[in-house]
Amino acid sequence: AAPSLCRSSRRCGPRTVMRGFWSKENVSVEESTAGNVEPPSTRVEHNALNSLGGYDAVEVSSSPAAAEAAAVTSAPLPVSNASLWWRALKLPMYSVAIAPLTVAASLCHHWYGCINVPQFGALAAGACLIIAWLNLSNDAWDAATGVDANGSGGKAESVVRLLGGGAAAVSKVHVAAVTCLVFGAAALLKAAVTTAAAATGTNLAGSVGAMLAAAIALGHAYQGPPFRLSYKGLGEPICFTAFGPLAVGAFYLALAAGTGGSVWAGLPAVPSLAQPGVMGAAALVGSTTSAILFTSHFHQEDGDRAAGKLSPVVRLGLPRAVKTLRGALAAHHVLAAGMAVAGALPVMAAVGVMLAAPLAGMIEKFASARVDTPSALFKTKYFAVRWHIVHTLLLSLGCLADPWMPWHLAAARIPGLAIGLVF
């Protein structure tokens, strides 16, 4: 009979290997039908595909003959150069550029009834170039410390390593990174500050420019000399601040400055970070973005320690880091509910956050089940990216839908669109 496919060998007999998409990795499977670790002779190494979600299961027989074959072929399969380049692109990571902008746009529509779509596109292009700069410069600066090249868990998909390593490769990567930074910063400032400057009688242009400059400066301080704050374990606070309050706040002010007026009675025409929901949503975006960075350390404890990098997993140890993740995810949802009750977040935005909660639970569940096999935790950050993306979409949809809820329609919302731009 054809073998059945299942998600867990603990539920349905034969061991299974999960296979998904996005990028490849070697995954060691050490589960048995009893839930215990199998003898080394029955372990099987698979070149599985990394995934943000969706798995198909490939059955692995646990018969004696298969165990003997597995023992012969138990060496990890090499990852192809094309697969390493695919990993190096880090396409899912560009969601951290789009998330603050998407949430800011939904809040702009919440309060002002419209979104400037061309401006949104220009800001998105600039933000993606900044992320490209961060990714490339991170590989270049890490090449100087050896954290990506050491023999205790270095990063095979480092662009510097893929270009052959050495000073020439580092120089090429630095040039590409700086090019992305220059064009990205120019696009951001032009799209953001020009519109903000149109709000006469205000200093919105100065505020937006300063916030974006601060976010970019934090990006360099995170990884570049002389600061290298990520090596001091400060990456997560920097990530929270740059992608949360600074990015969401700046994008909101830039988008809302050109609307011309609010669709709410009594709301000033000039946007402000003090408007309900802005800083609340920014905190949630910063939290989900920081979760991606935090989980990306889980499989790199040995490599970080060997390079002297005091990442959270080095400071805490892997078991405590996973417990910290569990507590942080719970606190995230408590915070969202509390802000909604206090009026610091649209109610429907909090509902969107709760709808994404099962994906947050999957991150913790996946990590907790693999604490004893750190190499298998490479995939944890992709679960975090998936939660981040869905969380952003549902949070934004909640902000868009909230003004049309009965408790607002019966109160202060003015029918129709804003005075200025329509979408």
Side-chain angles (χ1 to χ4, degrees):
S4 61
L5 299 182
C6 60
R7 282 186 175 269
S8 173
S9 59
R10 297 176 183 175
R11 288 200 299 268
C12 49
R15 296 191 303 125
T16 59
V17 176
M18 301 305 175
R19 185 177 301 177
F21 53 88
W22 286 96
S23 62
K24 296 181 179 180
E25 67 162 326
N26 293 323
V27 179
S28 177
V29 180
E30 304 183 11
E31 298 182 3
S32 69
T33 56
N36 299 319
V37 177
E38 290 185 308
S41 61
T42 60
R43 297 175 187 174
V44 182
E45 296 282 349
H46 285 267
N47 195 7
L49 295 174
N50 231 319
S51 157
L52 293 184
Y55 301 94
D56 57 288
V58 180
E59 184 183 33
V60 180
S61 172
S62 55
S63 65
E68 183 178 355
V72 175
T73 61
S74 60
L77 297 176
V79 180
S80 69
N81 203 52
S83 298
L84 290 176
W85 273 110
W86 179 249
R87 284 190 194 177
L89 289 176
K90 299 183 177 74
L91 292 183
M93 302 304 293
Y94 287 85
S95 65
V96 304
I98 303 302
L101 180 56
T102 302
V103 172
S106 69
L107 285 165
C108 177
H109 196 281
H110 176 94
W111 289 116
Y112 294 94
C114 57
I115 301 170
N116 186 331
V117 175
Q119 183 188 20
F120 180 96
L123 290 171
C128 286
L129 284 171
I130 294 298
I131 295 301
W133 161 66
L134 287 172
N135 287 335
L136 290 169
S137 59
N138 181 67
D139 284 354
W141 293 125
D142 280 349
T145 65
V147 68
D148 285 347
N150 69 74
S152 302
K155 188 168 70 175
E157 66 273 19
S158 165
V159 176
V160 173
R161 292 181 66 176
L162 289 171
L163 290 176
V170 172
S171 297
K172 292 177 183 177
V173 174
H174 270 307
V175 169
V178 172
T179 301
C180 290
L181 172 61
V182 170
F183 282 98
L188 281 179
L189 292 175
K190 184 178 186 302
V193 175
T194 302
T195 305
T200 57
T202 71
N203 190 34
L204 284 182
S207 298
V208 170
M211 293 173 74
L212 291 175
I216 293 172
L218 283 176
H220 175 75
Y222 165 76
Q223 59 196 357
F227 310 101
R228 298 190 189 278
L229 297 182
S230 64
Y231 284 75
K232 298 175 174 63
L234 298 176
E236 283 69 23
I238 289 174
C239 184
F240 176 89
T241 304
F243 290 98
L246 290 177
V248 175
F251 289 147
Y252 174 74
L253 293 178
L255 289 167
T259 57
S262 176
V263 293
W264 295 82
L267 193 74
V270 178
S272 166
L273 297 180
Q275 287 170 302
V278 178
M279 286 294 99
L284 296 176
V285 173
S287 175
T288 60
T289 309
S290 299
I292 298 173
L293 179 60
F294 186 75
T295 55
S296 71
H297 300 301
F298 283 3
H299 70 293
Q300 295 178 328
E301 181 178 2
D302 290 341
D304 286 350
R305 181 174 285 107
K309 186 175 183 178
L310 298 177
S311 61
V313 72
V314 171
R315 290 181 178 273
L316 299 172
L318 183 55
R320 286 181 61 194
V322 172
K323 290 181 180 178
T324 300
L325 172 67
R326 183 186 303 123
L329 293 175
H332 176 92
H333 293 87
V334 171
L335 176 64
M339 289 192 298
V341 171
L345 186 72
V347 172
M348 294 307 296
V351 171
V353 171
M354 298 307 163
L355 290 176
L359 295 179
M362 291 179 67
I363 305 171
E364 186 277 327
K365 184 178 180 181
F366 180 87
S368 296
R370 292 158 178 81
V371 172
D372 295 329
T373 55
S375 61
L377 290 173
F378 179 90
K379 193 176 294 185
T380 312
K381 64 182 177 183
Y382 290 98
F383 280 89
V385 172
R386 178 174 63 177
W387 174 54
H388 173 71
I389 293 172
V390 175
H391 178 282
T392 296
L393 292 175
L394 294 177
L395 174 63
S396 300
L397 288 174
C399 290
L400 290 171
D402 190 77
W404 304 102
M405 295 298 105
W407 55 85
H408 290 312
L409 293 177
R413 195 177 200 283
I414 303 172
L417 294 174
I419 299 171
L421 302 169
V422 296
F423 72 126

